[in-house]
Amino acid sequence: MRMRDGLFKMLGLCLLAGVLVAGILFPVVGAAGVMSNEASDTVESMSSDLADDPPPLVTTVTDREGSPIATLYDQYRIPTAPDQISEAMKWALISVEDRRFYEHHGVDWKGTLRAAISNTSGGDTQGASTLTQQYVKNYLINVTYRDDQLGQQRAQEATIARKLKEARVAIQLETKMSKEEILAGYLNVVEFSRQIYGVGAAAHAYFGTTPDKLTVTQGALLAGMVNNPVANDPWNNPERATERRNFVLDKMVENRKLSEEDAERLKAEPLGVVPNGPEKPAANCVGAGPEHGFFCQYVEDYLLEQGMTKDDLYTGGYTIRTTLDREANHLAKQSAEEQVGKMEENVANTLSLVRPGKDRHEVVALAANRDYGPDAEAGQTEYALPSDVANVTGAGSSYKIFTAAAAMATGKVGIYDTIQSPSSYVSQVFSGSPAPCPYIAPYTRGYCVTNASEGGSGSMTLQTALQTSPNTAFVILEEQAGMKAVVDMASKLGLRKTMASNAANGGAVDPEAESQEVSQSQTQFFGPSANSPGKGSFTLGVSPTSGLELANVAATIMSGGVWCPPTPIGEITDRDGNPMPIKEQPCEQAVPEGLANTLAVGMSKDDLPGGTAAAAAQGVGWDRPMIGKTGTTQVNGSAAFLGATPQLAGAAMVFRPDLPNGGLYDGGPGNVSAVPGESGNMFGGKTPARTWFGAMSKILEGEPALPLPASDPRYERFD
């Protein structure tokens, strides 16, 4: 009976071996029935070309000088050549995973038959996969199907069809690659837990070394992890990791690569991994740190907007040299923090800097009083405060720039023309005041506006109005220019994302339309809608605004009316060092050069006595030609200052990012806080202007004081 059972078992094994050989050499032969049909469907869809699909690599983000500031990745991997891996590491892996690696040609027939006998006879289950076969499987799981759960399942399913495919590709690989290349290829794709892939990254993360310096015990630990990285994690499961490492040492003894005496001695050594978890860089912009994180976040956002996918960005192995000026960014953050402490509750103070130019507008710095990061208790945030529109409130009267430019574009108003600026004004074009108006009966047609302490009264030139910022003058100009022209001008000069996101894209005002009752808070956070009070208040800057785009407005004006996208990209190279162009929006002549230059002259008085930013300018001894404009929203809940010299443009904004309703109190540098109701005293000439001048005076130190462009007589006009 035993002899007969043994005979049947032997016949079964011979049949199995024949099927495996037939499946590998002739996968389309129908003799194996359904199994062969399934194999042919899967095998033919894959070949040894899989190794041509590059593995995910780390993308490095640098400053403008090429010094790294952050790494972006899904898989932390450091590519390693065969001669950069220690012999100890290689033999540890071969000894435990594929002792006959240098003898077979992709499939170990001895091992396959041994595993079949063991599995058939009820012994320990054995996989019999060679390192070449494991290379195929790991490539499928960690590279080809890394984002395809179904594909990963198929790459690991316990079917003969999958084994046939794996074996066939392994044989193909052995004809195309040397043994050393296959071994290094395997060690470059295999997982070592915690987003760590490949021996290069593992050597650094686990031991703080390079793969060429891995010792026997270090190599044994890493080799022991590959069959179950999570279970053998040395920090979470040190006892199991030690047991597995020692098992590998025993296998090295069996393979005659280590003496028994040395193995026993090495087993007594500690694991030797770095304490407190692996040493690896952060996988996203948090790694840029509290100072450069906002810039890194904008780089990511910008590239995604230009068409790059997040998967490509995080796996492409690019080197992204940005336009970040570390020193300017440091001084910008320092100035922002001097005005508002980083732990100040519900107060954000930002500064965005852009370099003017007619072919590029490079972003130089993006800073905030708050640190970038995930720890809210430490005052950190991952909201893109200096560049995004979300979590930001209005920029106030800085929007008067767009009204002035739109009025000038009509040819009927010049910077030296006298305009009306009464102490109060009731517009009969814009209807529906946000609250009962003291000058007209409640809820009747009309939009009433008064001047804040920043404003003037009576009449003045447009240049003086830009300097002193009377509300009434610009609501009157808004009527004359037309709302559509004013809104279009905001977009042309630079508020492109801002206008799109706020639904503040205007349209002709219909004075006959029924008034819509929209509260001031609705107007502030959802932007103007057709003929609502937000229309009239558009020139008062009630809508959420990107500080970076506001800085780019100043850059456009200082660039002769040429708008360019605010780019953070200097150069991108791929994993092979080849330049990779990106399709950025082209620069455009947004407004006539004469209009832009004359508008700049019109904005050149804000830092002088009588200007809304004069005190802040005087505080740093400012003596350079510049353009500037302050802005403050209702109840003093947010404020802004944008300004520029020929070399550099910027915008500072202070606002309540968490609870927007309420005011801001300015008691001087370092004494700014969020206050309830209408008890705020913030203005653009206070915290924002001090932030701007504090940074710019230091950044431009040693630079020549360049003159502003000359105005165009066509836009100067006289009464």
Side-chain angles (χ1 to χ4, degrees):
M1 177 69 73
R2 289 182 180 177
M3 183 177 296
R4 186 175 63 182
D5 289 344
L7 180 60
F8 281 127
K9 189 173 295 183
M10 183 62 67
L11 288 172
L13 291 174
C14 291
L15 177 61
L16 174 61
V19 168
L20 286 171
V21 172
I24 293 169
L25 297 179
F26 309 104
V28 295
V29 174
V34 175
M35 181 192 69
S36 291
N37 290 333
E38 182 183 355
S40 66
D41 290 341
T42 55
V43 171
E44 291 304 326
S45 66
M46 188 185 127
S47 72
S48 59
D49 291 337
L50 70 91
D52 296 334
D53 184 16
L57 292 185
V58 175
T59 288
T60 301
V61 183
T62 79
D63 63 15
R64 68 176 185 174
E65 303 298 332
S67 298
I69 62 169
T71 50
L72 312 176
Y73 62 86
D74 286 333
Q75 297 181 5
Y76 178 42
R77 177 179 282 107
I78 301 174
T80 305
D83 60 358
Q84 295 174 319
I85 305 172
S86 74
E87 291 298 308
M89 178 70 245
K90 293 177 182 178
W91 283 113
L93 181 67
I94 290 170
S95 297
V96 73
E97 292 294 330
D98 188 1
R99 185 173 173 178
R100 281 182 288 276
F101 174 67
Y102 287 107
E103 300 170 17
H104 63 68
H105 298 287
V107 178
D108 183 0
W109 298 111
K110 291 181 181 179
T112 299
L113 291 175
R114 184 191 69 244
I117 292 171
S118 177
N119 297 344
T120 305
S121 62
D124 292 339
T125 301
Q126 297 183 26
S129 290
T130 65
L131 278 174
T132 313
Q133 289 172 282
Q134 291 183 48
Y135 179 32
V136 174
K137 183 175 73 172
N138 276 277
Y139 219 100
L140 290 172
I141 295 170
N142 298 332
V143 181
T144 306
Y145 298 131
R146 67 180 183 274
D147 294 320
D148 182 350
Q149 188 172 4
L150 181 60
Q152 290 186 351
Q153 291 174 353
R154 288 176 176 171
Q156 302 175 80
E157 61 188 3
T159 64
I160 293 182
R162 197 269 295 178
K163 278 290 185 183
L164 290 174
K165 175 175 66 175
E166 187 180 90
R168 179 182 180 183
V169 177
I171 292 173
Q172 291 177 342
L173 280 176
E174 293 268 353
T175 67
K176 296 176 63 175
M177 302 172 66
S178 69
K179 287 289 187 180
E180 290 302 309
E181 289 172 335
I182 291 171
L183 184 58
Y186 173 91
L187 282 169
N188 270 304
V189 301
V190 71
E191 181 184 2
F192 289 97
S193 83
R194 306 196 188 201
Q195 287 184 277
I196 301 167
Y197 291 78
V199 68
H204 172 75
Y206 281 68
F207 304 109
T209 188
T210 52
D212 61 309
K213 293 183 173 62
L214 287 170
T215 65
V216 172
T217 53
Q218 291 170 342
L221 174 64
L222 296 180
M225 289 189 65
V226 298
N227 74 333
N228 196 332
V230 175
N232 296 320
D233 183 294
W235 292 280
N236 289 338
N237 303 303
E239 292 182 1
R240 178 160 179 167
T242 301
E243 181 182 342
R244 180 67 180 168
R245 179 200 67 177
N246 293 346
F247 174 77
V248 175
L249 293 174
D250 287 338
K251 288 297 181 181
M252 294 181 73
V253 172
E254 292 180 15
N255 202 25
R256 298 183 180 181
K257 300 303 175 185
L258 188 67
S259 69
E260 288 189 28
E261 294 78 7
D262 285 339
E264 292 305 312
R265 175 178 55 81
L266 293 174
K267 287 179 183 179
E269 290 189 3
L271 291 176
V273 294
V274 297
N276 306 317
E279 288 184 357
K280 59 176 183 174
N284 51 39
C285 284
V286 170
E291 191 158 297
H292 302 126
F294 292 112
F295 200 100
C296 176
Q297 184 64 59
Y298 180 62
V299 170
E300 180 175 333
D301 293 342
Y302 186 82
L303 289 175
L304 295 181
E305 287 175 2
Q306 306 314 309
M308 183 179 284
T309 66
K310 188 167 184 179
D311 179 70
D312 191 22
L313 179 60
Y314 274 68
T315 64
Y318 299 107
T319 298
I320 303 172
R321 183 175 59 80
T322 74
T323 56
L324 170 68
D325 183 325
R326 281 181 184 259
E327 180 64 15
N329 202 89
H330 173 72
L331 293 173
K333 181 168 177 59
Q334 185 179 70
S335 186
E337 285 187 20
E338 285 175 355
Q339 298 302 320
V340 182
K342 67 176 62 178
M343 296 299 295
E344 188 62 49
E345 186 176 353
N346 196 27
V347 184
N349 189 31
T350 67
L351 181 57
S352 308
L353 301 177
V354 178
R355 197 180 312 282
K358 294 191 176 183
D359 54 355
R360 280 173 67 81
H361 287 180
E362 293 184 349
V363 182
V364 171
L366 293 171
N369 65 312
R370 291 189 175 189
D371 288 344
Y372 186 89
D375 190 351
E377 292 185 0
Q380 296 181 348
T381 181
E382 291 181 81
Y383 289 120
L385 296 177
S387 59
D388 205 358
V389 181
N391 293 85
V392 181
T393 42
S397 295
S398 59
Y399 273 46
K400 292 171 182 175
I401 296 170
F402 313 128
T403 304
M408 291 168 64
T410 66
K412 299 177 181 179
V413 179
I415 59 169
Y416 299 130
D417 283 339
T418 300
I419 60 174
Q420 295 176 283
S421 57
S423 59
S424 63
Y425 181 71
V426 179
S427 171
Q428 298 301 317
V429 173
F430 307 117
S431 59
S433 292
C437 182
Y439 311 106
I440 59 174
Y443 307 116
T444 60
R445 180 179 296 280
Y447 176 74
C448 61
V449 62
T450 59
N451 291 328
S453 59
E454 291 178 340
S457 61
S459 62
M460 60 186 69
T461 65
L462 177 55
Q463 184 182 52
T464 302
L466 285 166
Q467 178 188 24
T468 58
S469 198
N471 295 335
T472 57
F474 288 94
V475 170
I476 294 170
L477 284 179
E478 197 173 38
E479 291 179 344
Q480 296 172 357
M483 181 56 65
K484 186 178 188 308
V486 175
V487 171
D488 286 349
M489 185 61 70
S491 182
K492 285 179 180 179
L493 290 179
L495 296 191
R496 309 223 167 173
K497 266 179 31 177
T498 294
M499 298 303 295
S501 63
N502 287 335
N505 48 10
V509 176
D510 180 6
E512 301 303 321
E514 291 297 321
S515 169
Q516 297 181 28
E517 294 184 12
V518 180
S519 71
Q520 184 65 28
S521 62
Q522 287 176 314
T523 298
Q524 182 168 349
F525 300 112
F526 298 107
S529 57
N531 203 40
S532 76
K535 281 291 196 177
S537 63
F538 180 79
T539 194
L540 306 183
V542 297
S543 301
T545 302
S546 162
L548 174 58
E549 287 200 320
L550 199 62
N552 202 34
V553 167
T556 300
I557 296 170
M558 198 56 77
S559 303
V562 175
W563 175 89
C564 300
T567 180
I569 306 301
E571 180 186 39
I572 301 179
T573 54
D574 63 19
R575 64 178 65 207
D576 298 317
N578 300 315
M580 193 197 83
I582 60 170
K583 189 176 181 180
E584 298 182 89
Q585 290 177 272
C587 298
E588 61 185 65
Q589 189 72 49
V591 297
E593 184 170 10
L595 173 59
N597 291 347
T598 309
L599 179 62
V601 174
M603 296 171 60
S604 64
K605 303 294 186 182
D606 202 38
D607 61 314
L608 302 179
T612 56
Q618 186 178 5
V620 299
W622 185 265
D623 59 357
R624 294 172 177 271
M626 65 166 292
I627 66 171
K629 184 71 190 76
T630 58
T632 309
T633 58
Q634 192 175 17
V635 306
N636 309 90
S638 61
F641 178 76
L642 82 160
T645 68
Q647 297 103 318
L648 195 58
M653 293 186 65
V654 63
F655 51 92
R656 300 165 54 113
D658 306 316
L659 300 171
N661 294 324
L664 291 173
Y665 171 79
D666 184 318
N671 186 19
V672 177
S673 59
V675 292
E678 300 182 11
S679 54
N681 70 343
M682 179 62 69
F683 284 101
K686 293 185 176 182
T687 298
R690 292 197 301 265
T691 300
W692 191 95
F693 283 105
M696 294 287 275
S697 60
K698 295 177 181 177
I699 294 170
L700 295 175
E701 189 173 354
E703 294 287 325
L706 300 178
L708 297 180
S711 59
D712 186 327
R714 290 175 296 175
Y715 299 99
E716 293 176 340
R717 293 189 76 250
F718 291 89
D719 293 327

